Amino acid sequence: MNTADLGLPVDVPSTALFTDQYEFTMVQAALRAGTAARRSVFEVFTRRLPEGRRYGVVAGTGRVLDAVENFRFDARVLGFLRERKIVDEPTLDWLASYRFGGDIWGYPEGEVYFPGSPLLRVEGSFAECVLLETVILSILNHDSAIAAAASRMSSAAGGRRLIEMGARRTHELSAVASARAAYVGGFDSTSDLAAGFRYGIPTVGTSAHAFTLLHDSERDAFRAQVDSLGRGTTLLVDTYDVAEAVRTAVEIAGPGLGAVRIDSGDLLLVAHRVRQQLDELGARDTKITVTSDLDEYAIASLAAAPVDGYGVGTQLVTGSGHPTCSMVYKLVARARSGEPGAPLEAVAKKSLGAKSSIGGRKWAARRRDAESVAEAEVVGLGPVPAELADRQLLVELVRGGEIVGREPLDAARRRHIEARAALPMSAIQLSRGEPVLPTEYV
């Protein structure tokens, strides 16, 4: 069963109001001017990566497709727009039958990107495309920020298990999206059951300090947990005295104890002491999981510690200091007239500052060297050079309003692992630096 098909309260019946008011007022004015149907091309890109980041990660594509499909105007939504006098009656009539009927191409989910990469290309009439701006940017900016942080953390973890556990640190709906994005970026599981139900992500969880404090003794708490969940459970050992807790845990669960969790203190020092103690008690296969406000730097600092897994919350769901990717959605081409088949012409905002953009419907490809290591992000207009024909990055996602690019979440997760592995080795350095690939325009 595809759990995404079951639906959940975390879904909404319509995404049509996940937008800014000026999208609607532009449609009204364009309808009145007779330009609403003019064929248009919008592109999503970012002019720069967050400071110090060497690559970005595309995440949220699957959620964008859901949002486009659910962008509908039912009676209640139309009533709200009418009551607030957001738009006039002719525009409400047009919105009542709105269905996106255009085409969308984009970088597949899990792929990496760089400044100027045309991450998503939305084509159709001006009116149908402009309405999607806010919801598309909302999803891609959030999810890609979380996935980028997750990718850095998974690189730092060096193959050790990663648990996403940030639900209590963000909005309840953002928590579900964050868990999904973290999974794309390399995390193995989540504590959030809504994310597990909605997207099939593996879920984990055992107990908190409150469970230990509930009981008359730590021994009573451990006994209750083992009796309920089995010897393979994870016992939290830092409520009182860590050494005593480890000793008690092994006495109760035996050498088959699944894992212990450490949530405070000098994690490097405590992990070494706990590992030594577990080994001396015969629990050599018992794993050690650490939590406590971790980020990629803290994870990297524990590389030499005998740690088997990490639980990450706040820093992950806030993008580890960069909660957005500064992606924009810009009109880059439009038909010369409203006549069917009218040719496209490039358009772009002129700016003296840092907000300039390049007009025209673009393609993108990643050039690799003789060892198949990526060496440049190539963005161009017109024909694709023959040597880059099999290196193109954009894939078809929507054709004539029909979703054609849905895929399992695990496919995006695998893609990211492969895409990151094809970058120069400096990509995974945590030190501040420039994008690991230059963007070349041809």
Side-chain angles (χ1 to χ4, degrees):
M1 177 183 295
N2 182 357
T3 55
D5 294 334
L6 296 176
L8 254 192
V10 297
D11 288 330
V12 291
S14 169
T15 53
L17 294 183
F18 286 3
T19 188
D20 294 307
Q21 181 167 318
Y22 79 166
E23 315 290 7
F24 290 95
T25 54
M26 283 191 287
V27 168
Q28 175 177 305
L31 286 170
R32 183 171 297 184
T35 54
R38 186 174 288 190
R39 183 183 171 209
S40 300
V41 180
F42 287 82
E43 287 179 352
V44 175
F45 63 93
T46 184
R47 296 182 177 94
R48 66 191 66 83
L49 297 179
E51 184 180 358
R53 295 290 169 88
R54 297 171 184 262
Y55 62 92
V57 181
V58 178
T61 308
R63 295 208 308 122
V64 165
L65 297 180
D66 292 341
V68 170
E69 193 170 56
N70 292 326
F71 207 92
R72 303 284 188 268
F73 295 86
D74 59 22
R76 291 185 64 191
V77 172
L78 292 170
F80 168 80
L81 295 174
R82 178 178 290 108
E83 177 185 345
R84 296 292 183 93
K85 296 180 169 54
I86 305 297
V87 292
D88 59 20
E89 285 299 323
T91 305
L92 289 170
D93 291 341
W94 185 87
L95 292 173
S97 60
Y98 178 89
R99 298 289 187 276
F100 179 74
D103 303 325
I104 300 179
W105 289 69
Y107 279 38
E109 192 158 18
E111 184 58 83
V112 297
Y113 70 88
F114 299 90
S117 298
L119 303 178
L120 201 72
R121 187 173 70 225
V122 183
E123 303 185 36
S125 72
F126 173 82
E128 66 180 335
C129 293
V130 77
L131 283 178
L132 299 176
E133 174 182 5
T134 303
V135 69
I136 286 176
L137 289 179
S138 177
I139 293 170
L140 292 181
N141 268 311
H142 174 271
D143 289 23
S144 297
I146 307 306
S151 178
R152 285 163 60 85
M153 292 174 189
S154 66
S155 291
R160 296 172 178 177
R161 305 286 291 180
L162 286 164
I163 306 167
E164 183 281 317
M165 46 192 297
R168 63 191 61 195
R169 301 297 189 222
T170 188
H171 186 279
E172 65 271 19
L173 300 186
S174 296
V176 181
S178 294
R180 183 186 183 282
Y183 190 68
V184 171
F187 272 60
D188 301 286
S189 57
T190 179
S191 66
D192 191 273
L193 290 177
F197 185 91
R198 179 70 179 84
Y199 296 115
I201 301 169
T203 58
V204 297
T206 50
S207 67
H209 291 103
F211 185 77
T212 300
L213 295 170
L214 167 69
H215 292 80
D216 295 334
S217 69
E218 194 167 51
R219 178 177 293 274
D220 289 346
F222 286 176
R223 171 61 66 189
Q225 184 173 328
V226 170
D227 286 348
S228 175
L229 302 178
R231 298 179 186 276
T233 191
T234 299
L235 295 176
L236 182 58
V237 295
D238 72 325
T239 306
Y240 304 118
D241 178 84
V242 173
E244 182 60 30
V246 171
R247 186 178 302 110
T248 301
V250 177
E251 285 179 7
I252 291 173
L257 173 63
V260 296
R261 177 162 74 95
I262 306 166
D263 189 50
S264 59
D266 183 335
L267 297 178
L268 179 61
L269 175 63
V270 175
H272 277 287
R273 288 177 174 175
V274 168
R275 182 73 271 160
Q276 180 179 355
Q277 187 180 10
L278 287 170
D279 291 347
E280 290 173 352
L281 293 171
R284 296 184 176 277
D285 294 328
T286 299
K287 307 296 184 184
I288 297 176
T289 296
V290 297
T291 52
S292 186
D293 295 325
L294 299 177
D295 61 10
E296 60 264 50
Y297 302 102
I299 291 170
S301 73
L302 293 168
V307 172
D308 301 287
Y310 307 91
V312 190
T314 303
Q315 291 300 318
L316 176 60
V317 299
T318 57
S320 195
H322 297 291
T324 184
C325 302
S326 299
M327 294 176 185
V328 294
Y329 183 98
K330 296 297 181 183
L331 181 66
V332 296
R334 51 99 172 132
R336 292 178 182 173
S337 71
E339 295 297 320
L344 288 174
E345 61 181 13
V347 295
K349 172 185 175 181
K350 291 184 178 180
S351 174
L352 298 177
K355 288 192 171 183
S356 61
S357 57
I358 299 173
R361 184 178 184 273
K362 302 173 193 69
W363 52 264
R366 189 161 299 143
R367 192 173 66 241
R368 299 192 181 194
D369 63 18
E371 282 72 44
S372 292
V373 177
E375 60 180 11
E377 193 88 338
V378 185
V379 178
L381 302 166
V384 180
E387 65 273 17
L388 295 175
D390 63 346
R391 297 292 185 185
Q392 293 189 71
L393 292 164
L394 279 79
V395 299
E396 191 175 24
L397 300 172
V398 178
R399 181 193 309 136
E402 297 296 321
I403 307 296
V404 296
R406 275 205 179 93
E407 62 180 3
L409 191 58
D410 280 329
R413 176 182 168 83
R414 289 192 299 270
R415 180 180 296 112
H416 177 61
I417 294 171
E418 295 169 358
R420 188 177 64 191
L423 296 176
M425 291 185 65
S426 58
I428 63 173
Q429 292 177 341
L430 296 181
S431 57
R432 292 186 178 275
E434 297 300 314
V436 72
L437 296 186
T439 303
E440 299 178 359
Y441 295 95
V442 299

